[in-house]
Amino acid sequence: MNPRPDSPVSTTMSWPVATIDHEATLEEAAEGLAADNVGVLLVLRDGALAGIVSERDIVVHVAAGSDLSHVRVGEAMAGELVTSPPDATIAAAARAMVDADVRHLPVLDGNLIAGVVSMRDLVPVLAHASDDDVVVVPSGTRVIVQGW
């Protein structure tokens, strides 16, 4: 069955996820992103989720002329995370990502990492919502109707 906007985010999230320790260097993070062909690494401190580091975080340091072998992931990561439980709907996860202006959302089951979902995972589901599932409000905004 194809996921729908009201399906749980767990139906579209990626697992396993790529992780890196907060003490690793940005050079190691860049290598990890390339090796796993992913856009983000979840950052762990003492085995717990501490943040997220993305390609964009690394590019900022490259553009500034930083020596990536001297910058720690913990210094460059986004530490204030927006997360989702696995049973949240795809539409709710998309709204959380838009509201927080992020492209990746760690999915947590309690304190445990259940997966990660990206805009790339969600857009196809939302794009294939049928016209019967979408209402255009007077402002021109398309709203996906929940609870089919």
Side-chain angles (χ1 to χ4, degrees):
M1 183 172 150
N2 291 332
R4 298 167 29 134
D6 63 343
S7 298
V9 75
S10 61
T11 61
T12 60
M13 70 184 187
S14 298
W15 178 261
V17 298
T19 62
I20 193 164
D21 188 78
H22 76 289
E23 287 294 326
T25 66
L26 282 188
E27 183 176 48
E28 292 169 312
E31 291 167 358
L33 289 167
D36 289 333
N37 195 29
V38 294
V40 297
L41 299 171
L42 298 186
V43 181
L44 304 178
R45 179 179 291 129
D46 300 324
L49 182 62
I52 192 168
V53 66
S54 71
E55 295 167 321
R56 288 180 171 203
D57 297 323
I58 294 170
V59 167
V60 166
H61 286 275
V62 168
S66 301
D67 181 346
L68 298 185
S69 66
H70 289 97
V71 180
R72 300 282 171 214
V73 169
E75 299 169 323
M77 71 181 187
E80 292 187 27
L81 293 176
V82 177
T83 64
S84 172
D87 59 351
T89 65
I90 289 170
R95 276 192 302 275
M97 293 169 79
V98 168
D99 290 347
D101 194 25
V102 298
R103 295 176 180 219
H104 299 87
L105 195 65
V107 179
L108 300 181
D109 190 359
N111 289 329
L112 301 176
I113 299 169
V116 67
V117 67
S118 73
M119 283 295 205
R120 184 174 291 167
D121 300 322
L122 301 184
V123 167
V125 175
L126 299 174
H128 289 99
S130 73
D131 287 338
D132 294 336
D133 303 331
V134 177
V135 174
V136 178
V137 295
S139 69
T141 303
R142 292 170 48 96
V143 178
I144 297 172
V145 179
Q146 305 265 329
W148 286 266

